[in-house]
Amino acid sequence: QTQKLKKDPCAENRSKPENQSSKTKGQKAKAKIQAESQKHKTGSCSKPITKYNLTFLKYKANKCISLLFLMSSEEGAPPPPPPIVINRVSDDQLREIIKRLRDRTKLHKEKVTDPYASSPECSPPHASMPFTLGSVLFLSLTKDRRYIKWLSVVTVAYNYNIWFATARLCFPYHTPAAVPFWILFDILSDIINVIDIIIFQPRLQFVKGGDIIVNRPMSKQKYRQSTRFQTDLISIIPFDLLSLYFGFSSVYRLNRFLRIESFFEFSDRLESIMAKAYIWRVARTIGYLLYCLHINSCLYYVASAYEGLGSTKWTYDGQGTAYLRCYYFATRTLITIGGLPEPHTLFEIIFQMVNFFMGVFVFSSLIGQMRDVIGAATAGQTYFRASMDTCVAYMNTYSIPRMVQNRVRTWYNYTWDSQGMLDESELLDKMPLVMRTAIAVDINLATFQKIDLFKGCDNQMLVDMLLRLKSIVYLPGDFVCKKGDIGREMYIIKAGEVQVIGGPDNKIVFVTLKAGCVFGEISLLQSAKDGGNRRTANVAAHGFANLFVLDKKDLNDILVHYPESQKVLARKGRKLMKAKGPAAAKTDEEKKKGLALFGNKPPTPKLLRAFGKGGLLDKLKVLKGSRLHTYILHTQSVLAHLSYPIQIALFIVYLCI
């Protein structure tokens, strides 16, 4: 190309032939630069050299250099430099963290794709929204703990009003030194109530026609149309401002008592999240009793002040701490302990009679409520004791051995201590199918998916199998299955260990299976033909063992609805049976037939083996044709046709000779 340009320097505007299209851009640009330089050297170019042409040539040269650099980098790009490692330990740790994160991402992608897949680790906690007053949105059905915490603050403010407002109203606690503190606490409780009414209550979600309403204007409208909004609005009316004209008094705060619905809401929500809700019920009942005594003590002080402090033996004499003395009197009155001073005036007699009547009614009601709370808390324990006592009475009636009775008691106690009930199916049967499926999937689906026999089967079939599992507790030393038994179940170890044992006294431990292991699954697919579904080993519990059991009949009922999975199971079952070998060999008694019943033929006596091949006669061989050789052969042929006793007798005679 350069030679052609030298011959014809002004040929840059000519059309290029088609056979030059294979030239690369770098070669073409290089040829252009050389042609331009040749033109300006010879002066044969028609265009004069100007400043614009020089700038254009510089631009073309830079472009050509860039293209040449790109072309050279594409043709032979040098390998990238090795990564710089400052600390080998930290570099390995970072690589391990990245690998774990990638594996975790892959695992959760599979879980999202497959709704029934379960990750081996605990489920990640649900991400909670940041707590901001502008975006507070609580869902009543999900028992949001942040809202319960806020309700606890509202409950504290409510209890402050109902306890201290009555005490300040009756007892002389409004001293000049204490009034500023009372005003401060009153303002704080009012601020809490106002925040709850303005910010929290209008943002509560609610259910309408089965749908969860999350629209904030609709939530606000529902709250404003409710009766609770009216009572809340009345409860925050600032009647305290009347104290500026009529003197400071807590009587203006009695409207705060109308917020009692917030207390009951907090109580209900707290019970729903507590593991042992009866503790809160007992504490709440005790609180009711203490508040009744508090009101009675306040009334007793007011009655004493009306009669005159210390005017009679029945009234409060004004000594000591007024609240404690009056509270002691109210306790003895309501609980009817006795030993009280006799009332003298008509007012005292009427007050004491009303006190006695109210004490009997209130105290009996609270005691009955306490009994119901404790009875509900121990209902399960009572059922367990009744069941155990009934079983023990049955065993005593039929004179069951003491050892068996002790094992039955041990089973009852361990079952109750481990799972809090005797039969888990009683609890699960009361739940809807969706809840039972969720619990079963979370507990056992990961284990089922690891079983080779069930890999590749329909996930819905596995879920149906999980719903048919039954929980059984085995005591230490109990045989789960014995060698030769008919196999009708497969087992999944929920807790504890089992051992595969053998030997003369079952003292040899072949293998120990722990929680999450599965055994007996092959027997579900083997048929009873030729004893194929018999157990091939002894399996015993090592300590207490809790197992899930799947019955063969339940599996057959499920496979009717999943024909494809049935084919997969049949195919895999045949492969697994071939891999694990044939079924257990039959015993010797089962194999004996016909003449085998009489036993095997006894072996040849050692004395006569001398006449057999390789015996004494072969060792005494002499030259062929000798008289001794002929005599031995003749004797051997004769003895071969005789019976064993005659052979022995002749041999003895021969030795003697």
Side-chain angles (χ1 to χ4, degrees):
Q1 186 74 8
T2 306
Q3 295 297 329
K4 290 176 69 178
L5 288 173
K6 285 183 179 180
K7 294 179 181 179
D8 192 1
C10 297
E12 62 172 342
N13 295 327
R14 296 178 183 177
S15 59
K16 297 178 179 57
E18 295 182 359
N19 57 358
Q20 298 295 332
S21 59
S22 61
K23 299 288 185 179
T24 61
K25 291 184 178 181
Q27 293 175 346
K28 294 178 182 179
K30 185 177 179 180
K32 276 189 178 184
I33 295 299
Q34 291 178 354
E36 290 289 344
S37 61
Q38 187 67 25
K39 290 176 190 177
H40 294 293
K41 284 181 181 179
T42 56
S44 58
C45 183
S46 59
K47 297 180 181 179
I49 299 176
T50 60
K51 185 178 180 181
Y52 172 77
N53 291 339
L54 289 174
T55 306
F56 180 74
L57 286 174
K58 289 180 182 179
Y59 167 74
K60 288 289 186 179
N62 292 332
K63 188 174 180 182
C64 177
I65 292 171
S66 301
L67 290 173
L68 288 173
F69 176 76
L70 290 175
M71 183 176 65
S72 63
S73 63
E74 289 176 0
E75 291 176 355
I84 300 174
V85 179
I86 299 175
N87 190 333
R88 176 61 61 183
V89 177
S90 60
D91 184 72
D92 294 340
Q93 290 181 353
L94 289 175
R95 291 180 184 275
E96 182 66 22
I97 292 172
I98 293 172
K99 182 181 177 182
R100 290 181 180 179
L101 290 175
R102 288 176 178 173
D103 294 341
R104 181 181 176 86
T105 304
K106 182 179 178 182
L107 188 63
H108 285 292
K109 282 183 178 179
E110 294 176 356
K111 186 176 180 181
V112 171
T113 305
D114 188 356
Y116 297 107
S118 179
S119 56
E121 69 263 5
C122 298
S123 300
H126 182 71
S128 58
M129 296 177 59
F131 186 83
T132 58
L133 294 179
S135 60
V136 176
L137 207 65
F138 300 105
L139 181 59
S140 301
L141 299 179
T142 58
K143 313 301 180 189
D144 196 321
R145 293 179 181 266
R146 295 177 299 173
Y147 183 54
I148 296 176
K149 292 176 182 178
W150 169 251
L151 282 179
S152 65
V153 177
V154 177
T155 302
V156 170
Y158 176 75
N159 279 275
Y160 164 78
N161 287 321
I162 64 175
W163 283 79
F164 286 93
T166 52
R168 290 158 49 190
L169 181 63
C170 301
F171 291 92
Y173 287 152
H174 285 170
T175 60
V179 167
F181 294 99
W182 293 126
I183 294 176
L184 175 63
F185 291 133
D186 292 345
I187 292 175
L188 289 177
S189 65
D190 291 342
I191 290 175
I192 292 173
N193 290 329
V194 170
I195 292 175
D196 183 61
I197 294 172
I198 296 178
I199 297 178
F200 284 87
Q201 296 301 324
R203 288 172 170 80
L204 284 178
Q205 299 177 1
F206 65 96
V207 178
K208 181 179 180 181
D211 296 331
I212 300 176
I213 305 301
V214 296
N215 191 316
R216 190 172 299 177
M218 295 182 65
S219 300
K220 186 184 299 184
Q221 182 181 4
K222 179 182 180 299
Y223 173 65
R224 290 180 177 179
Q225 292 177 353
S226 63
T227 308
R228 181 174 180 177
F229 174 72
Q230 300 175 4
T231 56
D232 290 346
L233 198 61
I234 296 174
S235 66
I236 61 171
I237 296 177
F239 290 113
D240 305 69
L241 298 177
L242 298 176
S243 301
L244 300 175
Y245 300 97
F246 302 101
F248 186 75
S249 176
S250 62
V251 69
Y252 306 120
R253 299 189 59 81
L254 296 181
N255 60 330
R256 306 297 190 275
F257 292 10
L258 296 176
R259 296 224 66 201
I260 190 172
E261 192 170 349
S262 61
F263 170 76
F264 288 121
E265 182 184 3
F266 167 73
S267 177
D268 295 339
R269 289 179 180 270
L270 186 62
E271 286 184 13
S272 65
I273 65 171
M274 289 184 66
K276 297 181 179 180
Y278 65 89
I279 297 176
W280 166 248
R281 298 190 189 108
V282 172
R284 184 181 58 193
T285 305
I286 295 175
Y288 292 159
L289 176 60
L290 296 178
Y291 187 72
C292 291
L293 297 175
H294 167 76
I295 295 297
N296 191 266
S297 65
C298 294
L299 295 177
Y300 174 67
Y301 183 84
V302 172
S304 299
Y306 175 76
E307 287 285 312
L309 298 178
S311 60
T312 62
K313 293 183 178 180
W314 182 84
T315 59
Y316 168 60
D317 57 2
Q319 298 179 359
T321 305
Y323 183 78
L324 290 179
R325 295 294 182 93
C326 294
Y327 203 93
Y328 174 73
F329 177 85
T331 303
R332 297 183 65 180
T333 303
L334 287 182
I335 304 179
T336 62
I337 296 177
L340 296 171
E342 293 292 334
H344 298 285
T345 64
L346 179 63
F347 176 79
E348 294 175 356
I349 294 174
I350 294 176
F351 184 88
Q352 192 67 17
M353 289 177 60
V354 173
N355 247 353
F356 281 136
F357 280 116
M358 293 298 296
V360 171
F361 174 74
V362 172
F363 190 72
S364 60
S365 300
L366 293 177
I367 292 298
Q369 186 176 359
M370 187 75 71
R371 183 202 62 187
D372 295 338
V373 170
I374 297 175
T378 60
Q381 187 77 15
T382 304
Y383 170 74
F384 160 70
R385 292 297 177 189
S387 301
M388 186 173 176
D389 293 342
T390 304
C391 183
V392 171
Y394 173 82
M395 291 188 293
N396 291 331
T397 302
Y398 289 94
S399 302
I400 304 298
R402 183 62 58 183
M403 183 182 66
V404 178
Q405 293 191 23
N406 292 335
R407 291 182 64 83
V408 171
R409 288 191 180 95
T410 303
W411 180 87
Y412 267 97
N413 291 324
Y414 176 77
T415 303
W416 178 259
D417 293 338
S418 61
Q419 57 191 26
M421 61 188 70
L422 297 178
D423 189 5
E424 292 181 350
S425 60
E426 294 181 1
L427 176 64
L428 297 177
D429 289 342
K430 299 177 182 179
M431 295 184 180
L433 180 61
V434 177
M435 299 297 177
R436 282 186 286 148
T437 303
I439 294 175
V441 166
D442 189 62
I443 295 176
N444 294 315
L445 183 60
T447 304
F448 255 75
Q449 290 177 337
K450 296 177 183 178
I451 303 175
D452 294 336
L453 185 63
F454 298 130
K455 287 183 179 179
C457 296
D458 192 346
N459 283 330
Q460 185 60 40
M461 188 200 76
L462 299 181
V463 172
D464 292 343
M465 291 171 62
L466 295 177
L467 296 175
R468 303 292 185 97
L469 294 178
K470 300 176 183 177
S471 179
I472 299 179
V473 175
Y474 289 90
L475 301 182
D478 283 352
F479 279 93
V480 180
C481 58
K482 292 185 178 181
K483 184 177 181 180
D485 291 347
I486 303 297
R488 300 187 183 91
E489 305 92 5
M490 66 166 287
Y491 302 91
I492 302 175
I493 304 176
K494 178 184 178 183
E497 297 179 354
V498 298
Q499 293 179 340
V500 181
I501 58 178
D505 299 328
N506 291 324
K507 300 296 184 182
I508 302 176
V509 179
F510 297 110
V511 67
T512 300
L513 304 177
K514 299 183 179 181
C517 296
V518 181
F519 62 95
E521 69 274 15
I522 301 298
S523 63
L524 296 181
L525 299 177
Q526 290 179 331
S527 63
K529 184 179 180 181
D530 299 329
N533 63 337
R534 291 186 178 273
R535 303 293 186 186
T536 59
N538 296 325
V539 180
H542 179 63
F544 292 96
N546 194 344
L547 308 181
F548 283 120
V549 181
L550 177 63
D551 191 76
K552 186 174 184 178
K553 182 178 179 299
D554 294 334
L555 177 63
N556 293 333
D557 294 342
I558 293 172
L559 290 178
V560 173
H561 306 285
Y562 302 95
E564 295 298 329
S565 297
Q566 186 175 10
K567 296 177 183 178
V568 173
L569 287 178
R571 183 172 60 255
K572 288 194 173 185
R574 288 192 294 268
K575 291 182 180 179
L576 291 175
M577 284 186 282
K578 289 180 181 179
K580 293 187 177 183
K586 297 182 180 179
T587 58
D588 294 336
E589 291 76 11
E590 294 175 344
K591 291 183 177 180
K592 291 179 178 180
K593 295 181 181 179
L595 296 177
L597 296 174
F598 298 97
N600 297 327
K601 183 180 179 180
T604 304
K606 294 182 179 180
L607 189 61
L608 298 182
R609 291 179 185 174
F611 296 94
K613 186 177 181 181
L616 180 62
L617 295 181
D618 289 344
K619 296 178 182 179
L620 296 177
K621 283 184 179 181
V622 294
L623 294 175
K624 189 175 182 181
S626 63
R627 293 179 63 186
L628 181 60
H629 178 66
T630 305
Y631 174 74
I632 291 174
L633 291 178
H634 178 70
T635 305
Q636 184 178 6
S637 61
V638 172
L639 290 176
H641 295 83
L642 299 178
S643 61
Y644 287 156
I646 298 176
Q647 291 180 9
I648 295 172
L650 292 175
F651 186 73
I652 293 173
V653 173
Y654 171 75
L655 292 177
C656 293
I657 294 174

